[in-house]
């Protein structure tokens, strides 16, 4: 049966923007991937397919973190180590979720999706918003 809901878990909002094109573009992709996973979960998609979407989300996240870390390092961002540490912690958390999902210890439930949404948006609104003024001052847009 086709999903009857059009609920979007996490609509993109300009409040998430850090006003740096490449980062906003990657954040939009991440938000879209969380929404895609949510829709797939609501639509009753099978575990294997959900696992593929989750895996793609994690790979894209790791690539996105690398982009930010390279920008911060190349411009000498003073809080680089703290931000890198937040990325490492977020990566570990989501890899743990993936591991438990694969071992059937946790399902991709509404609660798990809320967790992923908060995992992403709290980091953008917290840590990512902090480096934006520094990178703006270096001429990044
Ligand atoms: Fe956009 Fe620090 O991750």
């Amino acid at each position: 049966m086709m999903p009857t809901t059009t609920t979007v878990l996490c609509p993109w909002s300009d409040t998430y923007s850090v006003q740096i094109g490449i980062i906003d573009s990657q954040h939009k992709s991440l938000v879209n991937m969380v929404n895609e996973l949510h829709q797939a979960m609501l639509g009753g998609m099978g575990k294997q397919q959900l696992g593929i979407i989750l895996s793609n989300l994690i790979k894209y996240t790791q690539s996105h973190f690398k982009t930010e870390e390279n920008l911060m390092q190349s411009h000498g961002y003073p809080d680089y180590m703290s931000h890198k540490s937040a990325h490492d912690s977020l990566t570990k958390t989501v890899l743990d979720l993936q591991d438990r999902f694969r071992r059937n210890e946790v399902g991709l439930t509404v609660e798990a999706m809320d967790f992923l949404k908060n995992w992403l948006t709290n980091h953008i609104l917290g840590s990512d918003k902090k480096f934006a003024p520094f990178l703006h001052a270096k001429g990044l847009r």
Side-chain angles (χ1 to χ4, degrees):
M1 196 166 76
M2 294 293 291
T4 54
T5 180
T6 55
T7 306
V8 176
L9 178 69
C10 182
W12 176 261
S13 158
D14 283 344
T15 61
Y16 298 139
S17 174
V18 296
Q19 306 291 326
I20 297 169
I22 187 171
I23 296 176
D24 281 347
S25 165
Q26 292 183 355
H27 284 162
K28 282 177 186 169
S29 294
L30 284 168
V31 164
N32 284 340
M33 291 172 95
V34 168
N35 288 329
E36 181 191 3
L37 188 59
H38 180 242
Q39 284 299 323
M41 182 270 287
L42 290 179
M45 191 173 275
K47 180 174 172 171
Q48 188 182 359
Q49 287 303 110
L50 289 174
I52 291 169
I53 300 174
L54 179 62
S55 176
N56 288 339
L57 169 64
I58 293 171
K59 281 185 208 153
Y60 193 84
T61 299
Q62 289 172 312
S63 158
H64 164 65
F65 285 170
K66 205 70 199 158
T67 300
E68 282 189 3
E69 287 161 17
N70 288 341
L71 280 176
M72 284 186 273
Q73 263 194 317
S74 63
H75 289 92
Y77 181 54
D79 285 335
Y80 168 79
M81 285 311 295
S82 157
H83 201 119
K84 168 87 169 78
S85 166
H87 284 172
D88 290 347
S89 172
L90 285 164
T91 302
K92 181 180 182 319
T93 305
V94 78
L95 286 173
D96 285 347
L97 175 71
Q98 182 186 45
D99 192 43
R100 288 190 295 139
F101 173 74
R102 284 177 171 164
R103 287 191 276 126
N104 294 318
E105 290 174 10
V106 66
L108 284 182
T109 58
V110 170
E111 291 75 21
M113 290 309 309
D114 272 340
F115 163 78
L116 276 175
K117 172 190 163 184
N118 293 333
W119 166 85
L120 176 61
T121 56
N122 288 343
H123 179 72
I124 293 174
L125 293 172
S127 302
D128 289 353
K129 285 270 187 175
K130 279 189 200 153
F131 68 54
F134 179 85
L135 292 180
H136 291 161
K138 300 287 181 181
L140 268 76
R141 292 291 184 274

